[in-house]
Amino acid sequence: MLTKGDSSGAAVVPRKGKMAGLRIIQRHHFTAQLKRMAVVAGFTTLSGEVTYISAVKGAPETIREMLHTVPPGYDNTYKTLSKRGARVLALGRKELGRLAHAEVRSLTRGDLENNLTFAGFIIISCPLKRDSKEVIREILHSSHAAVILTGDNYLTACHVANELKFTQKSAILVLQAKEKGSKELSENLSDREGQWAWQDLDGSLSLSVSLSEVGLDVALKKYDLCVTGEGLSYLHTAHPSLLKSLLPAVRIFARVAPKQKELVITLYKDLKFTTLMCGDGTNDVGALKHAHCGVAILSGAPDRPSSGLRRVRQAERQAERQTDRPTERRGRRNAGGKTSVNTASQNSALLTPQQEQVAKLQKLLQELEQDSNLIVKLGDASIAAPFTSKLSSIQCVCHIIKQGRCTLVTTLQMFKILALNALILAYSQSVLYLDGIKFSDYQATLQGLLLAGCFLFISRSKPLPELSRTRPLPNIFNLYTISTVLLQFASHFWCLVYLVSVANDISPKRSGAVELEKEFEPNLINSTVYIISLSLQISTFAINYRGRPFMESLKDNKPLLYCLICAFSLVICLTVGVVPEFSRQFEIIEFPEEFRVTLLKVLTADFSLSLAADRLCLALFGEGGLPSSLTHASL
């Protein structure tokens, strides 16, 4: 363990027993491109002289090329550990001997990272978070494709992908180069295709880069693909078109640098995919910035709220429910009319339920403040991402998708309702206006209040707790929206024209020209058009409310349900004339018995036809899904 040294910032290994302390003299920091770090350390011998050593730590495949002698079983050991999901770091050291201070300062990184003696492996166990499997299962079940972007070894990444069910096909193919040094490999990334091959994890299967042996389409359906950082550079340089074809089938990107994570996100966007990136470190900043939606995870935070915080939230919800209940006044007054003085125990006994909940909440907050909770500090990832989770769990990704789907569906259905209402009003208040048909002030006010209430309660819809496999349509310009609006308006238009013509037939014939500026006078045609217009506009809310599987259904959205029931009841009351005074207040005349029955039948038929047309269009064109290029990669 390294501890802070003197004011110069050097780190010192604390002494144990008679061992001399090690002072770090020179440090070459870790970089994602080199996959290693190196230091020069010195210790004082018993004779008082300073002896220097170099120590290197990094990826096993990188350190292997720097060793003077590779011990037997080196590759098998670190690969076996990586296949179990552990992070493996290799250690190497070299004796530099006694050097002058100037000689130590003149040492380059190349002088330190050669002819090393193998010093062992560091094995880091990284168990999965408690809810990771469930969250990934829900994401994949909701018609999304998930990909791993990591700087870890591809064997470790493949193990994690298998545990989380990212991969469920017959085998995983990894793009690898023939055995050669990293320097030679980096200088010949664009060499001919024969130097690279797709191999399975056991090395028993080898296919060419183009997968010509089995065919590209067959291979993408049969195998999951894993691309390392070096393989990504090779494909991007030598075969950019092949990379775009393979990209939807790649499940794992391993040993990738921060710039390569950014490149992967950019390539997905070039293929017109919508991307969500979830990361927790500085190396994820570029990818978080370029993704359509970036989510930063705080690695030092707990994966679930603390027990005290959960109790506070429960108390808050219970207190909110109590505020909706009427409170009773409690107190005693003496004979003179003055309030009697109570003791502390009497005051606590006379608290209302709401005050008791507030007192409990304050007590829980005090207990929470006394707890020594972890102080979470925001990092670079949270600065680059528009969303930051207070917990280390990835459950927040599901929350974002649920809220996004609910908002999208609500917006689309409001556009449909606005389009239908605009078409209905356009006919009833423009074309029919030329025939002298208009609404009174009371009628327009009532209509506006009902529509405003319905729009308000639609916008307050809540998402369902589970993500559905069905995906919502991405925009309003689609076959479902256009077809359902046209078919519903055709039904509404027929209803409006037919009932107006019937009302004209039984109304007294008008003589002379129509006076457009004449004051409103209630008559059969005005009342008929108002009832039809109000009924059609209310029915558009009931028919076009989507509900499940993206948000709560109409039965669960109680405010909207009650608003629609009241609106339909009002229309029936005005049509039947249950309360004559109410009808006269809104200047609706009493309809003839035969015409009243016809009016109700036509309105019922219009509602049924519009509902059937919308459900038919929804079944034919209303369900979204994964893009065709990702269907073979979905799990």
Side-chain angles (χ1 to χ4, degrees):
M1 177 179 179
L2 295 179
T3 59
K4 189 174 181 180
D6 54 16
S7 59
S8 63
V12 177
V13 177
R15 298 186 180 186
K16 291 185 178 180
K18 297 181 179 180
M19 181 179 177
L22 286 173
R23 181 185 297 274
I24 295 178
I25 308 300
Q26 189 177 0
R27 188 194 305 270
H28 297 278
H29 292 280
F30 175 86
T31 62
Q33 291 77 17
L34 298 178
K35 302 182 182 65
R36 63 184 183 272
M37 68 169 293
V39 298
V40 177
F43 63 93
T44 304
T45 61
L46 296 178
S47 61
E49 296 179 345
V50 179
T51 301
Y52 296 95
I53 64 170
S54 68
V56 184
K57 175 186 68 174
E61 62 270 22
T62 302
I63 301 299
R64 184 183 191 279
E65 302 172 6
M66 303 175 183
L67 298 178
H68 179 268
T69 302
V70 179
Y74 179 93
D75 294 336
N76 183 60
T77 300
Y78 87 80
K79 288 182 178 180
T80 301
L81 293 170
S82 297
K83 288 180 180 179
R84 297 176 183 174
R87 290 182 178 178
V88 183
L89 296 176
L91 303 178
R93 63 187 297 271
K94 181 172 69 172
E95 297 285 346
L96 299 177
R98 298 179 179 87
L99 301 174
H101 186 71
E103 292 177 324
V104 175
R105 291 297 181 185
S106 64
L107 290 173
T108 64
R109 189 161 192 165
D111 298 331
L112 305 178
E113 298 174 344
N114 62 75
N115 294 325
L116 300 177
T117 301
F118 178 64
F121 290 119
I122 295 179
I123 313 302
I124 304 174
S125 176
C126 300
L128 298 175
K129 295 184 176 67
R130 285 176 285 188
D131 60 348
S132 294
K133 288 186 178 181
E134 182 64 24
V135 173
I136 295 299
R137 184 201 63 79
E138 186 175 4
I139 292 175
L140 297 178
H141 178 74
S142 62
S143 298
H144 290 89
V147 176
I148 293 179
L149 282 170
T150 180
D152 292 337
N153 186 281
Y154 72 89
L155 294 173
T156 304
C158 290
H159 172 81
V160 174
N162 185 54
E163 288 291 318
L164 295 178
K165 305 302 180 184
F166 276 77
T167 57
Q168 292 184 345
K169 298 180 182 177
S170 59
I172 301 176
L173 298 183
V174 184
L175 183 61
Q176 300 185 37
K178 292 182 178 180
E179 294 294 334
K180 56 171 63 179
S182 60
K183 293 183 179 179
E184 182 183 355
L185 184 62
S186 62
E187 295 173 357
N188 297 280
L189 284 176
S190 59
D191 280 357
R192 65 183 185 274
E193 182 178 330
Q195 295 180 348
W196 294 80
W198 293 99
Q199 299 178 2
D200 63 356
L201 299 181
D202 298 329
S204 58
L205 177 64
S206 180
L207 300 175
S208 63
V209 175
S210 61
L211 299 171
S212 57
E213 293 87 346
V214 295
L216 183 60
D217 294 336
V218 175
L220 296 184
K221 294 179 180 179
K222 188 176 181 180
Y223 303 110
D224 288 308
L225 303 183
C226 171
V227 177
T228 61
E230 294 169 346
L232 179 62
S233 299
Y234 165 70
L235 289 176
H236 186 60
T237 303
H239 303 282
S241 58
L242 178 62
L243 175 59
K244 291 184 178 181
S245 301
L246 297 174
L247 197 63
V250 178
R251 300 290 89 202
I252 305 160
F253 292 91
R255 282 283 190 249
V256 288
K259 281 292 183 181
Q260 290 178 320
K261 293 183 180 181
E262 183 179 332
L263 172 63
V264 172
I265 296 296
T266 305
L267 290 174
Y268 277 120
K269 293 174 67 176
D270 292 341
L271 294 177
K272 307 304 180 183
F273 293 133
T274 302
T275 57
L276 184 148
M277 173 67 185
C278 185
D280 62 352
T282 305
N283 54 354
D284 300 319
V285 168
L288 289 170
K289 196 73 174 178
H290 282 78
H292 291 97
C293 178
V295 183
I297 303 296
L298 300 181
S299 56
D303 60 351
R304 61 178 61 184
S306 62
S307 59
L309 185 58
R310 287 198 298 270
R311 285 186 296 165
V312 169
R313 291 178 178 175
Q314 292 175 359
E316 287 178 345
R317 289 193 292 267
Q318 192 172 358
E320 289 176 357
R321 290 194 295 267
Q322 291 291 342
T323 56
D324 297 333
R325 302 176 182 176
T327 58
E328 299 179 357
R329 295 183 179 179
R330 298 183 180 180
R332 298 179 180 177
R333 296 184 178 273
N334 54 17
K338 297 182 180 180
T339 305
S340 60
V341 179
N342 299 322
T343 62
S345 60
Q346 290 174 332
N347 283 332
S348 61
L350 295 177
L351 289 177
T352 63
Q354 179 183 356
Q355 292 172 337
E356 291 177 358
Q357 292 297 331
V358 172
K360 291 180 180 179
L361 180 60
Q362 291 176 349
K363 183 178 179 181
L364 289 174
L365 287 173
Q366 291 176 357
E367 294 177 358
L368 190 62
E369 291 176 357
Q370 294 174 358
D371 295 338
S372 56
N373 292 331
L374 176 66
I375 299 177
V376 179
K377 296 182 179 180
L378 300 180
D380 294 335
S382 63
I383 297 174
F387 296 98
T388 299
S389 174
K390 295 181 180 179
L391 305 175
S392 61
S393 170
I394 59 174
Q395 183 67 44
C396 58
V397 175
C398 294
H399 295 330
I400 292 175
I401 297 176
K402 293 172 189 175
Q403 293 290 347
R405 284 184 171 184
C406 180
T407 303
L408 176 61
V409 172
T410 301
T411 304
L412 294 180
Q413 68 187 9
M414 290 180 71
F415 272 113
K416 288 166 51 183
I417 294 170
L418 285 172
L420 288 169
N421 288 344
L423 292 173
I424 295 170
L425 288 175
Y427 181 78
S428 60
Q429 293 188 354
S430 61
V431 177
L432 297 180
Y433 177 77
L434 299 177
D435 294 334
I437 299 174
K438 59 180 67 175
F439 298 155
S440 68
D441 294 339
Y442 282 107
Q443 291 175 352
T445 302
L446 177 62
Q447 187 180 37
L449 290 175
L450 290 177
L451 294 181
C454 292
F455 275 118
L456 173 64
F457 297 133
I458 273 189
S459 63
R460 294 177 63 85
S461 301
K462 298 178 181 179
L464 295 178
E466 291 291 335
L467 282 172
S468 67
R469 181 176 291 275
T470 305
R471 293 162 60 102
L473 298 174
N475 53 64
I476 61 174
F477 299 104
N478 54 74
L479 188 58
Y480 162 67
T481 302
I482 296 174
S483 59
T484 186
V485 168
L486 292 178
L487 289 176
Q488 289 184 61
F489 177 68
S491 176
H492 297 334
F493 183 76
W494 167 82
C495 172
L496 194 59
V497 172
Y498 175 76
L499 289 175
V500 169
S501 64
V502 173
N504 279 322
D505 292 339
I506 63 177
S507 297
K509 301 298 181 181
R510 291 176 296 185
S511 59
V514 177
E515 298 181 13
L516 299 179
E517 302 300 329
K518 184 180 179 181
E519 292 186 1
F520 174 81
E521 293 181 0
N523 55 47
L524 181 61
I525 298 179
N526 283 337
S527 300
T528 301
V529 172
Y530 178 73
I531 293 296
I532 298 171
S533 176
L534 184 60
S535 175
L536 297 184
Q537 288 179 331
I538 295 173
S539 65
T540 57
F541 286 94
I543 294 172
N544 294 283
Y545 182 81
R546 182 65 188 273
R548 294 180 180 274
F550 307 113
M551 55 188 182
E552 57 187 5
S553 63
L554 187 58
K555 294 181 180 179
D556 299 327
N557 192 345
K558 300 298 183 182
L560 178 60
L561 178 63
Y562 295 151
C563 183
L564 291 176
I565 291 176
C566 293
F568 278 119
S569 301
L570 179 62
V571 171
I572 294 175
C573 290
L574 292 176
T575 304
V576 178
V578 177
V579 184
E581 294 80 5
F582 187 74
S583 299
R584 285 194 294 270
Q585 179 67 32
F586 288 95
E587 301 178 271
I588 302 295
I589 68 168
E590 183 178 356
F591 296 108
E593 182 65 27
E594 184 178 355
F595 180 76
R596 182 186 301 128
V597 174
T598 302
L599 178 60
L600 292 175
K601 287 182 178 179
V602 172
L603 291 179
T604 304
D606 171 76
F607 182 86
S608 302
L609 287 175
S610 300
L611 180 62
D614 179 74
R615 296 302 181 264
L616 178 62
C617 294
L618 181 63
L620 295 177
F621 318 114
E623 292 189 0
L626 277 175
S628 57
S629 57
L630 282 178
T631 52
H632 62 270
S634 62
L635 302 181

